[in-house]
Amino acid sequence: MAKLTVFFRGKAIHSALFENGIVRIGRDETNDLIIDSLAVAPAHAAIIIRDDNCTARQLNDDFPLVVNGLKTKESNLINNDKISLGKHDIVYHLTESVVQAQQLSTPLYKDPLLQNQEFNSDVNSRGANLQIINGDNIGKLLPLKKAMTRLGHNGSGILIISKRKDDYFVSVLESKGTMTLNNKPLDNDILKLNNNDVLVINNISLQFFHN
């Protein structure tokens, strides 16, 4: 588990805890940690949290990622490292603490100039999502808002994610290329998706989250 605290001009304005996974940081509202500043890219950086290490990765070449004062495309993080995005800083803390979910969104400080900004402290937006966990679009979030979501392309394999009440199911529409669920080939079955399940379609890996 990692704690990320956002500072603006030296003042703490937001703090959140994140479990293992990918935390997307940027200006766009689809990010897990939103920083409303033109100095921050819509998709600026991703922090990959694992049991044994944590890595910060730049997502946009036009917007630098600075860790402890040094520009970098990727950096392993240690406790108290500072990530700078424009005039905002994010301090990384490794923590084993367990808190209630409602505590995660409590701001440490609210700057009057930032009252209209919203910071999303949840690792995913509400509802169900798929998050890309490899390739050039690592960290991108795909909300599953429709009753049926189609993934893939004609001729290279297509999956269907369907919503039934509060559950989500995956099935194969067109069987081509590599399509697996948790490293097991997807055949003609309709399978229920569970939190942290990993789908692979056309060499793109996506992790399922359902809040």
Side-chain angles (χ1 to χ4, degrees):
M1 182 179 288
K3 179 181 179 181
L4 301 177
T5 303
V6 180
F7 292 79
F8 180 71
R9 294 180 176 175
K11 296 179 180 180
I13 57 174
H14 181 72
S15 185
L17 291 174
F18 295 95
E19 299 284 355
N20 287 6
I22 299 171
V23 181
R24 289 183 68 238
I25 302 170
R27 190 172 71 241
D28 191 82
E29 64 181 5
T30 61
N31 288 285
D32 306 303
L33 199 57
I34 302 169
I35 299 179
D36 188 9
S37 168
L38 293 178
V40 176
H44 197 124
I47 296 179
I48 300 95
I49 304 169
R50 305 183 183 91
D51 287 332
D52 55 349
N53 65 70
C54 184
T55 303
R57 182 176 299 169
Q58 181 180 355
L59 296 181
N60 191 317
D61 291 337
D62 295 328
F63 290 80
L65 173 67
V66 179
V67 178
N68 297 326
L70 299 175
K71 289 184 179 181
T72 181
K73 288 187 176 294
E74 185 169 320
S75 177
N76 289 328
L77 299 177
I78 61 174
N79 201 37
N80 293 321
D81 273 356
K82 183 172 71 173
I83 303 163
S84 299
L85 289 72
K87 294 181 180 180
H88 290 77
D89 296 317
I90 301 171
V91 176
Y92 163 79
H93 295 283
L94 182 64
T95 177
E96 296 296 330
S97 301
V98 178
V99 298
Q100 297 297 320
Q102 60 266 29
Q103 294 177 309
L104 300 186
S105 59
T106 303
L108 297 179
Y109 177 86
K110 191 69 175 179
D111 192 308
L113 297 176
L114 303 174
Q115 287 183 356
N116 292 326
Q117 296 183 7
E118 294 181 357
F119 290 85
N120 180 1
S121 64
D122 298 324
V123 67
N124 302 295
S125 60
R126 292 181 180 178
N129 304 274
L130 290 170
Q131 192 164 40
I132 299 174
I133 58 176
N134 71 338
D136 294 337
N137 293 310
I138 186 171
K140 184 175 181 180
L141 204 65
L142 306 176
L144 299 174
K145 296 181 179 180
K146 299 179 180 179
M148 186 174 293
T149 302
R150 174 173 165 156
L151 301 172
H153 303 281
N154 291 329
S156 58
I158 299 172
L159 293 179
I160 297 295
I161 309 292
S162 55
K163 180 180 179 182
R164 301 178 187 175
K165 294 185 178 180
D166 292 327
D167 293 323
Y168 292 79
F169 297 83
V170 60
S171 59
V172 175
L173 180 63
E174 180 181 288
S175 181
K176 297 263 185 164
T178 301
M179 293 189 288
T180 64
L181 174 62
N182 299 328
N183 295 319
K184 296 181 180 179
L186 284 166
D187 296 316
N188 295 320
D189 296 326
I190 299 175
L191 301 175
K192 181 182 175 181
L193 292 173
N194 298 302
N195 263 330
N196 300 315
D197 278 354
V198 176
L199 284 166
V200 176
I201 177 170
N202 304 329
N203 298 317
I204 300 297
S205 299
L206 306 104
Q207 193 162 26
F208 175 80
F209 299 97
H210 188 196
N211 292 336

